Each structure stands twice: as structure tokens, then as C-alpha cells.
Amino acid sequence: MRAEVLDALRVLGDRGYQERHWRNGGGWPDLTNAVHWLIDDPFLDHRPARFWIPDVFWDEREADAVQAAADALLLVLDDLGPHEPDSAYLDHPSWPQVVRAAGMALRVMETSTPPT
């Protein structure tokens, strides 16, 4: 699950990737998979990321950064619903916060060291 969360954060934090691949509904991973890996698999819409320490997230810093990204994404998803084209999410006024939070969470996770 950690690898999938990292994959989701990579694409959610990369606006250039999103414009090249998601703007016209393409690319792999697509937006649906990114949402699935970040929100659905770890149930971050129902339980806090800290629940997954140390199985997915190594510490509170990682969990909190990922929770911030999930919360930003959930705000957009809750506002638009699940059936809009990818471009609608990219054009949402809060989408830049998703990109920033995902990028920050990715940096935190990539620079963390596993617990000993």
C-alpha cells in the first residue's frame, strides 16, 4: 500500500503530468487510480492516516502530510462528485492545493527513513 500511496502522490503532485495526460482523459496512472490508491485503499475518507503507522506510514510526520493531501483531494471530490471529466477536477479552484499538498507529502515520504 505504501508504494501505491507514493505513486498516487507522484502524479497528484505533478501538474505537468496532469496537463499532459489527464486533461484529455488519458495517461497511466489516471486520476481514478490516484484517488483509489490515496483515498480508497487506506480508507482515508473513513479513518485517519495515523491509523496506518507503522504499516504504511513510518511516523506522524508522514501520516500528517499524507492526511493533508487526502483532505485537499477530498474537498475537491466532495465538491464535484465522482462523475466529472478529469479536466473539471484540474480546473477546480482548490486543485492547486491538491497539487501542493501531494507534492509536500511525497517529499516527506521520500526523505523519511524507516523505523528501526
Side-chain angles (χ1 to χ4, degrees):
M1 192 179 321
R2 182 180 177 86
E4 289 181 342
V5 168
L6 283 163
D7 287 343
L9 294 173
R10 280 186 191 96
V11 294
L12 289 167
D14 185 344
R15 186 60 189 230
Y17 175 90
Q18 296 164 13
E19 290 296 331
R20 286 189 309 277
H21 297 284
W22 295 349
R23 177 62 62 187
N24 297 314
W28 177 258
D30 60 10
L31 179 56
T32 299
N33 280 296
V35 169
H36 182 69
W37 295 336
L38 182 63
I39 304 292
D40 299 336
D41 284 352
F43 301 103
L44 294 185
D45 52 341
H46 297 289
R47 65 171 65 127
R50 285 185 176 207
F51 173 86
W52 293 104
I53 299 169
D55 299 319
V56 176
F57 308 115
W58 292 331
D59 56 30
E60 290 85 4
R61 186 171 170 256
E62 280 192 358
D64 293 347
V66 171
Q67 188 67 58
D71 290 346
L73 181 56
L74 284 167
L75 182 128
V76 174
L77 295 172
D78 289 346
D79 193 37
L80 293 178
H83 302 294
E84 295 296 322
D86 291 355
S87 59
Y89 301 97
L90 300 181
D91 293 336
H92 191 278
S94 294
W95 192 257
Q97 179 56 33
V98 173
V99 175
R100 279 190 299 276
M104 176 61 74
L106 178 63
R107 285 187 293 281
V108 168
M109 288 187 71
E110 288 183 332
T111 59
S112 292
T113 55
T116 55

